[in-house]
Amino acid sequence: MSPTVGAPRLFVRKTSGLIRTIGVGGALVFGVHCISLSSSGILTFYSVPGLWPGANILVVLTLAAVLCAMHAYTFSQIGAAAPRAGADYTLASRTLTPWLAFPASFALVLFSGLVAGSLIAWIPTVALPALLRASGVLYNAAWATSLADFSASTTGILVFGTVGVLITLVTLFYPTRTVVRMMGIGFVLGLVAWAVILFAFGTGSEQSFQSGWNQSVPSLPYDQVIPTAESNGMVLDTSFGNTAIAGLIMGFWIFYGYYIPTFFAGEVKEAPRTLLSGAWGSLAVTWAIFTGGVLLFTRFVPQDWMAAQGYLFINGVEGANPFVTFYASVLQPNVLLFLLMAVGFIYTLINLAQTYFFYASRIMFAWAFDRVVPEWIAEVHPETGSPRNAVMTIAVLAELGVLASAFFSVLFVQLNFVFYAAITMTVPIVAAIVYPYRKRQLWETGAGHVRAMIFGLPSMTVVGIGTLAFILLLVASPFIWPAVGFGEQQGAAVAVFVSIIIVGLVIFAVARWYRQREEGLDIMATFAEIPPA
Amino acid sequence: MPLFFKRSDTPGSGFLRIIQAADFHGSTMAWRKFMAAAKQHQAQHAIVSGDLTGKAIVPIIRTGDRWEGWLFGHREVAETEAELAAFKAKIERVGFYDHVCELDEAKALDADKDRLHALFVEKMNERLQSWLQFAGEYLEPLGIPLWVIPGNDDDLSVDPILNAAEYARNVDHQVVEIDEHHELVSMGDTSMTPWECPRDYPESHMRVAVRDLVEKIRNPTGAIFNFHCPPFNTKIDQAPALKPNLEIEHEAGQVMMTSAGSPAIRRAVEEVQPLLSLHGHIHEARGVQKLGRTVALNPGSEYAEGIMKAAVVNLEPARVKGYMLISG
């Protein structure tokens, strides 16, 4: 035992802004919101089995959670090393070069906006049809079934998706406190929806599900689901390799968002611990909810049947309804429980879009601070404090995401985003790997786990290399595995990405030229190290 | 560097360049970087907008032939004089003070507020004196004047130290001409904070203090406000909202923000419409806000990370030509 046990560790005088933490609970809630109980719930029950027939969903979720925990560790270190809005961009631009960091950040924000739109498009594509079809079946309402068909059509997605974008935009014009309260309500509604789902699965049985299904979907009886999928070309691959690959790719998309709390940390020396606990906590909570749901459901429905449902829906076969809310309503055809699920899922999808709007606008703020984009981007409304210009910019991108979802598919947009998000993340991750060496002095005074060591090396470097390997695999995945590929649009997707990077480079070059010519300032100085006198 | 980016940012040809920073809070690393930045950016004036002194003392307990202390949750053990010096340097870099003592003395200090305050005053003033001396030695040959004010966290005991500085000039509660076009209007007082710091005042005091200052301005068109406290309800005064127990308020994982600036200062900016308004105080609220014609700036602070944040501003006689927030 140390002879100084009981000694005071720090003498503090009365000064403003003394260090406080926001608490792990706060970071955890935000992380869960960013992961999204609704969209990720849909992915777990529909996309994973549908895209990777035969993959073990429980293993996929677990493997993904472990890999994402590594990624979360790296990003919590990035947030702790650069505790401010746009931490990834800030760290990369100072550690590497803004010529790399800005285009990468620009691409991430652009695609975050598009994905926000695709998430909103999930409402008319999945949430509303599931609600309306179930209503049609349960209450013999033909209008509801017709409306469900319209909702899922190209026109319906455009109409309802645009309305969703406008609702999201209008909500973000309100003061932050109001928006955050909306998100808080959404968190509760999301949990309630999942409580209903888990209750339905927990009280369900093989017999009740099969009879409920056959009554709800007479066009595709329970026993015909797997044979129909096989006749449509589904091949079950139960190998571990298939599951591992699904875990790497789909798992990342399911849990994407756990690292977003990185973007809030002020003058908080406990932030590193808070950020890491929040990110890991949100991973653990969502993993528990989703695996709990799968465990309960697969007590009486085989995973092969879930895979067939997903496969048939992806291939546009009528009667396929691979949605967790629909499964639950088949088991519990109760209007109140049904509404709780529907409202929870639709509301939290809007919440999820709001978080994308939030973090994308924060990154834009970081660009504006560095004078790379016009100041008006970072202007806030004098009364509400809402960053309206930034939010409207994201809304335009979100509308493009709705269009892409309508004319391609929601999944197409989102799988594209896995590629784009991953490839843009390589820049801050490389920055994190080299940070202890390129910014030695700052690293040495870093807080908490920024300075942690593994095998005598900085953990920022060691874990960063592991994270980079994971991310590079995600980047390569669309080119290697057709299930998550770009399909016929592979060339176009790569061309779009390259174009965006070029546009980012041009914006930076023009900004630099303009500031120098008009203001007599070289913005490269913003990113330069200043050695002490 | 390619010809396309040929430098054309040399001050003196039609514009004045200033560099401003605040909230050093005892970080010698940040202070020395500020000096270097003044030179690197060819500033013609260096302005410090308050909060110079550190917030905490790290007791380094001597036990036999070794020393132990804690920094940001890390236990540090020094077994040689060289290791002790390195630990002390690390403490200084993040803005804290060190105090080498026996275990009994550390416990006694912990129990005696007056004695601890006296130790703080000693440590703060010792470091401030060394900073001011260094600034003079570094900036005087470069011909860069240094204008300084205290901030709300600076104990009143620093005033004599600032006033006695040979090169730096304490301009708290003063209006001074820095060239033929620009007057610097400075004040370190701030609105009340939950911590009731040495220079926290009620808004009634702020109104009077600000009014007394602006009455002395001869040319508002070229005036530069240098107030530690930012104007109320702007992007540059947003701080985490606190509960009565001083914990940060948050909902749905989001930190709730609130305005911590001064309404009196906002009113003065809106009425006088100075050219530029320089601030600090809220470390997280780095940014810029236009209030009418006035460009209001808060460079923010990350002193504890050893990062210096500052604003570089190019000024024409009646216009802000350009600005840049730097960090390093």
Side-chain angles (χ1 to χ4, degrees):
Chain A
M1 187 183 283
S2 165
T4 64
V5 168
R9 293 183 180 186
L10 194 68
F11 297 128
V12 179
R13 71 188 180 95
K14 207 155 116 175
T15 55
S16 53
L18 279 178
I19 293 161
R20 292 288 182 273
T21 63
I22 78 149
V24 173
L28 188 148
V29 169
F30 193 73
V32 168
H33 241 320
C34 291
I35 291 169
S36 178
L37 292 169
S38 51
S39 77
S40 293
I42 292 166
L43 282 167
T44 301
F45 279 77
Y46 143 53
S47 306
V48 175
L51 288 168
W52 304 90
N56 184 312
I57 302 169
L58 294 170
V59 177
V60 165
L61 287 169
T62 307
L63 180 64
V66 171
L67 289 164
C68 291
M70 179 176 67
H71 180 264
Y73 185 88
T74 293
F75 267 79
S76 70
Q77 288 183 311
I78 289 171
R84 70 204 84 142
D88 54 345
Y89 155 78
T90 303
L91 187 92
S93 61
R94 273 72 179 169
T95 307
L96 301 173
T97 168
W99 292 105
L100 271 177
F102 178 72
S105 183
F106 179 69
L108 179 66
V109 166
L110 229 65
F111 275 87
S112 296
L114 291 172
V115 167
S118 81
L119 293 165
I120 291 167
W122 228 326
I123 295 169
T125 311
V126 172
L128 268 179
L131 164 69
L132 292 164
R133 284 198 181 107
S135 304
V137 169
L138 296 171
Y139 307 107
N140 199 22
W143 65 266
T145 309
S146 302
L147 190 56
D149 293 339
F150 169 74
S151 176
S153 70
T154 301
T155 310
I157 294 168
L158 283 175
V159 171
F160 289 122
T162 303
V163 169
V165 170
L166 288 172
I167 289 170
T168 309
L169 177 65
V170 169
T171 61
L172 287 161
F173 280 177
Y174 282 90
T176 305
R177 188 172 286 265
T178 309
V179 179
V180 165
R181 287 201 174 133
M182 289 178 204
M183 291 168 89
I185 292 166
F187 183 73
V188 173
L189 289 173
L191 287 177
V192 168
W194 268 97
V196 171
I197 290 165
L198 295 175
F199 168 73
F201 290 175
T203 55
S205 67
E206 187 177 1
Q207 190 183 8
S208 65
F209 184 76
Q210 289 185 18
S211 64
W213 180 270
N214 291 337
Q215 190 184 345
S216 303
V217 194
S219 60
L220 186 64
Y222 181 90
D223 289 334
Q224 291 304 306
V225 169
I226 293 175
T228 307
E230 285 173 336
S231 67
N232 275 271
M234 181 184 82
V235 179
L236 292 168
D237 181 352
T238 55
S239 67
F240 180 75
N242 184 50
T243 295
I245 292 161
L248 288 170
I249 298 160
M250 292 311 301
F252 175 75
W253 188 224
I254 287 168
F255 291 118
Y256 180 84
Y258 51 83
Y259 77 97
I260 301 296
T262 289
F263 301 130
F264 60 84
E267 190 209 352
V268 183
K269 272 294 171 191
E270 291 297 315
R273 199 171 303 156
T274 306
L275 292 174
L276 184 60
S277 308
W280 279 359
S282 58
L283 271 171
V285 166
T286 48
W287 174 87
I289 290 171
F290 300 149
T291 50
V294 172
L295 275 169
L296 289 172
F297 189 61
T298 51
R299 285 184 306 118
F300 48 84
V301 175
Q303 287 200 28
D304 294 356
W305 190 92
M306 292 169 68
Q309 273 293 317
Y311 184 86
L312 290 171
F313 186 84
I314 289 164
N315 286 279
V317 175
E318 194 190 343
N321 268 302
F323 304 114
V324 64
T325 47
F326 190 79
Y327 294 158
S329 53
V330 163
L331 287 161
Q332 287 289 341
N334 174 299
V335 68
L336 176 63
L337 296 180
F338 188 70
L339 281 173
L340 285 173
M341 276 190 301
V343 169
F345 267 55
I346 291 170
Y347 192 99
T348 50
L349 280 169
I350 292 285
N351 281 164
L352 181 59
Q354 286 173 328
T355 65
Y356 276 61
F357 276 53
F358 254 31
Y359 88 73
S361 63
R362 285 178 181 186
I363 295 171
M364 285 179 164
F365 274 30
W367 301 344
F369 287 157
D370 290 347
R371 313 298 312 284
V372 180
V373 295
E375 290 78 354
W376 66 263
I377 283 277
E379 279 174 10
V380 296
H381 189 270
E383 286 168 21
T384 63
S386 161
R388 291 190 173 184
N389 296 331
V391 163
M392 281 194 283
T393 306
I394 305 293
V396 170
L397 295 169
E399 185 59 25
L400 291 173
V402 168
L403 283 165
S405 302
F407 289 105
F408 295 102
S409 76
V410 170
L411 209 56
F412 173 77
V413 175
Q414 297 191 3
L415 289 173
N416 266 266
F417 182 65
V418 171
F419 167 75
Y420 287 108
I423 201 166
T424 57
M425 279 179 196
T426 56
V427 176
I429 292 168
V430 168
I433 290 168
V434 301
Y435 182 78
Y437 304 99
R438 284 182 68 94
K439 299 282 180 184
R440 188 85 195 172
Q441 242 175 12
L442 293 178
W443 175 76
E444 281 178 344
T445 53
H449 68 321
V450 168
R451 284 188 291 157
M453 304 288 280
I454 297 175
F455 313 125
L457 290 167
S459 68
M460 231 171 154
T461 302
V462 176
V463 180
I465 288 168
T467 302
L468 184 65
F470 171 43
I471 291 297
L472 287 175
L473 189 69
L474 291 174
V475 171
S477 63
F479 303 98
I480 301 171
W481 294 287
V484 290
F486 302 120
E488 292 170 7
Q489 283 79 31
Q490 182 169 296
V494 175
V496 166
F497 180 74
V498 171
S499 304
I500 288 168
I501 294 297
I502 290 168
V503 170
L505 285 166
V506 169
I507 289 172
F508 188 82
V510 169
R512 189 182 173 197
W513 168 80
Y514 176 83
R515 302 291 183 205
Q516 191 146 319
R517 184 170 171 271
E518 296 298 317
E519 301 183 7
L521 293 161
D522 182 359
I523 59 171
M524 286 306 283
T526 303
F527 309 98
E529 179 65 33
I530 301 166
Chain B
M1 186 181 287
L3 189 65
F4 181 66
F5 290 119
K6 190 165 180 284
R7 290 183 70 88
S8 61
D9 58 351
T10 307
S13 52
F15 64 86
L16 176 82
R17 177 169 297 169
I18 64 165
I19 187 166
Q20 176 255 352
D23 301 289
F24 292 91
H25 288 289
S27 170
T28 298
M29 175 67 77
W31 181 258
R32 284 179 168 252
K33 284 183 175 181
F34 181 62
M35 298 297 123
K39 179 183 179 182
Q40 194 172 307
H41 290 278
Q42 299 174 293
Q44 291 156 298
H45 291 270
I47 299 168
V48 172
S49 303
D51 275 6
L52 297 151
T53 50
K55 298 181 176 192
I57 296 171
V58 177
I60 302 176
I61 314 295
R62 189 172 35 230
T63 53
D65 54 354
R66 51 191 269 165
W67 299 265
E68 281 185 32
W70 288 80
L71 184 61
F72 298 138
H74 284 267
R75 179 165 164 260
E76 307 263 356
V77 178
E79 298 193 338
T80 64
E81 291 286 350
E83 286 176 1
L84 176 63
F87 183 35
K88 284 179 167 188
K90 199 185 284 186
I91 291 167
E92 184 171 0
R93 204 156 55 212
V94 302
F96 293 170
Y97 307 102
D98 67 82
H99 183 61
V100 179
C101 58
E102 305 291 337
L103 179 60
D104 290 348
E105 188 193 346
K107 287 180 175 176
L109 279 166
D110 205 26
D112 188 339
K113 281 197 168 75
D114 291 340
R115 195 175 154 194
L116 185 60
H117 177 71
L119 182 66
F120 261 112
V121 167
E122 179 195 323
K123 297 278 181 186
M124 289 187 298
N125 293 346
E126 183 188 340
R127 186 168 298 172
L128 187 55
Q129 271 176 322
S130 73
W131 280 12
L132 294 169
Q133 188 181 334
F134 175 79
E137 289 166 1
Y138 189 83
L139 295 178
E140 190 170 15
L142 299 169
I144 305 172
L146 176 62
W147 313 94
V148 183
I149 57 170
N152 68 313
D153 282 340
D154 293 322
D155 190 80
L156 299 177
S157 66
V158 306
D159 290 357
I161 308 292
L162 292 174
N163 292 334
E166 285 182 21
Y167 186 73
R169 190 165 153 197
N170 180 10
V171 286
D172 192 25
H173 288 275
Q174 291 178 36
V175 177
V176 295
E177 281 189 4
I178 61 170
D179 71 359
E180 67 270 31
H181 301 293
H182 303 103
E183 291 169 280
L184 188 66
V185 185
S186 306
M187 186 179 77
D189 300 356
T190 69
S191 303
M192 288 304 299
T193 69
W195 295 273
E196 298 175 357
C197 301
R199 291 173 214 261
D200 285 358
Y201 293 100
E203 206 52 32
S204 55
H205 163 94
M206 296 295 287
R207 277 196 297 273
V208 173
V210 172
R211 189 196 61 211
D212 289 351
L213 266 177
V214 300
E215 280 176 353
K216 297 174 189 166
I217 300 170
R218 292 190 302 119
N219 173 26
T221 310
I224 302 166
F225 281 7
N226 173 34
F227 293 157
H228 180 63
C229 186
F232 179 74
N233 198 22
T234 52
K235 272 193 299 186
I236 58 174
D237 84 324
Q238 296 299 300
L242 299 175
K243 298 172 188 170
N245 65 355
L246 299 185
E247 278 182 5
I248 288 176
E249 196 185 324
H250 57 86
E251 283 185 39
Q254 284 275 338
V255 175
M256 303 314 296
M257 304 301 279
T258 189
S259 286
S262 162
I265 288 174
R266 171 143 193 170
R267 199 159 35 250
V269 171
E270 286 172 338
E271 288 173 3
V272 177
Q273 286 287 279
L275 182 62
L276 180 66
S277 197
L278 303 169
H279 305 278
H281 189 41
I282 310 298
H283 304 184
E284 310 89 334
R286 170 182 170 89
V288 181
Q289 176 143 355
K290 288 282 293 251
L291 291 168
R293 76 179 281 267
T294 305
V295 175
L297 282 163
N298 176 358
S301 173
E302 281 183 56
Y303 70 92
E305 279 72 28
I307 296 171
M308 188 281 306
K309 291 187 159 188
V312 175
V313 189
N314 288 343
L315 294 171
E316 290 174 345
R319 187 176 79 97
V320 173
K321 179 178 169 71
Y323 66 85
M324 183 167 60
L325 300 179
I326 61 167
S327 63

